[in-house]
Amino acid sequence: MQDILKSNFIKEIGDTAANMYRLGWNERNGGNISYMLTKEEVEPYCDINKTIRKLPLDIAFPELAGKYFLVTGTGKYFKNISIDPEKNLGLIRISDDGTFSHLLWGYSDGGTYTSEIHMHLGAHMQRLKTDPNQRVVIHAHPTNVVSMTHIFPWDEREFTRTLWQMCTECIVIFPEGVAVLPWMVSSNAKIGMASAEKFSDFRILVWALHGCTATGDSLDEAFGLLETVEKGAEIYMNIVGKGERHGIDDEMLKGVVEAFNIKVRDGWL
């Protein structure tokens, strides 16, 4: 059997986490990643029939029964994932009834998955209903997105429209807009399921005064989505309060929509 540490997916998640840490989006142990893998991807590197431990879930996810996820651990620093993957990551398989998971590899110090596991599994559950290719959920604390929620109304349409107006690529990268949840206590099942509802219609969700979560077909896609939303928020934070600004108006946005043949959320332009 091959060494799981030599797999592409371990390197991918380590490189992504290290990059996000360098950007300042995942300070200390802030943030988390889950990466859904297929049996065919996992089996060459891991004994899928050997359970190290059973890890409980506060909410059952029978829709995800039998699915495999590589998940960052609770209390773990993103900068350390590429240095010691076996301690900072865990490979799990959801049980047949969805009430717990089988730990197949990782969390070697006796740890467990991120405290935001319910948000991650809820997001995967919803995104799979919309697009079966969606397999990545990334949660981070991008500085400018969080800053923007301190001074901007928590209104999805207006938040999205303002980001679209910051730079041309925003409406191209997230034409369906950005979901926004009012502030809630994090790291529990309640915010996890409230988030899951949002992911039925959106690929990216802002938690007011906290952070941002993106989904995608790959780590690069989800990271790029976060990156673009953060760029829009950075431009906004750089220009807000500095007098008259030009901005990208609705007619300009409609021109971009037409040129790129994209569909935006009805009524948002």
Side-chain angles (χ1 to χ4, degrees), residues 2-160:
Q2 296 184 40
D3 184 355
I4 193 170
L5 296 178
K6 296 179 180 178
S7 66
N8 288 335
F9 50 80
I10 293 290
K11 184 178 187 306
E12 278 185 86
I13 201 169
D15 288 349
T16 300
N19 192 22
M20 294 172 70
Y21 185 84
R22 284 192 296 269
L23 287 166
W25 296 359
N26 297 88
E27 71 292 334
R28 201 173 181 270
N29 62 318
N32 25 81
I33 300 175
S34 59
Y35 188 178
M36 187 171 68
L37 301 166
T38 65
K39 179 182 178 182
E40 291 71 27
E41 288 172 318
V42 171
E43 204 164 20
Y45 298 103
C46 180
D47 184 353
I48 62 173
N49 297 310
K50 182 180 179 181
T51 298
I52 298 172
R53 283 183 280 136
K54 293 181 179 180
L55 305 177
L57 293 166
D58 292 339
I59 295 176
F61 292 92
E63 299 91 340
L64 299 177
K67 294 197 177 296
Y68 298 82
F69 296 93
L70 187 63
V71 188
T72 53
T74 188
K76 305 305 183 186
Y77 288 37
F78 266 33
K79 69 183 180 67
N80 294 333
I81 290 174
S82 60
I83 299 169
D84 190 352
E86 192 168 4
K87 178 179 176 181
N88 294 284
L89 296 171
L91 178 62
I92 64 170
R93 183 180 69 245
I94 304 299
S95 65
D96 291 342
D97 62 0
T99 62
F100 66 93
S101 70
H102 301 268
L103 177 62
L104 306 177
W105 171 88
Y107 305 143
S108 60
D109 62 350
T112 187
Y113 29 51
T114 170
S115 59
E116 304 290 6
I117 187 65
H118 302 96
M119 181 272 288
H120 279 265
L121 295 181
H124 282 290
M125 178 183 70
Q126 291 293 353
R127 293 310 304 161
L128 283 171
K129 294 176 183 177
T130 303
D131 182 351
N133 294 315
Q134 295 265 286
R135 61 192 307 199
V136 172
V137 176
I138 300 178
H139 176 67
H141 305 153
T143 305
N144 291 287
V145 174
V146 177
S147 298
M148 188 171 166
T149 67
H150 279 268
I151 62 174
F152 198 91
W154 302 340
D155 178 275
E156 291 173 342
R157 181 177 183 272
E158 292 310 309
F159 201 92
T160 294

Side-chain angles (χ1 to χ4, degrees), residues 144-197:
N144 291 287
V145 174
V146 177
S147 298
M148 188 171 166
T149 67
H150 279 268
I151 62 174
F152 198 91
W154 302 340
D155 178 275
E156 291 173 342
R157 181 177 183 272
E158 292 310 309
F159 201 92
T160 294
R161 284 171 52 80
T162 298
L163 292 175
W164 284 348
Q165 292 165 359
M166 293 301 102
C167 58
T168 305
E169 70 170 354
C170 285
I171 196 169
V172 177
I173 301 302
F174 49 95
E176 78 275 30
V178 172
V180 179
L181 267 185
W183 185 88
M184 299 173 67
V185 175
S186 61
S187 302
N188 59 48
K190 183 177 180 180
I191 194 171
M193 299 320 294
S195 300
E197 290 183 18

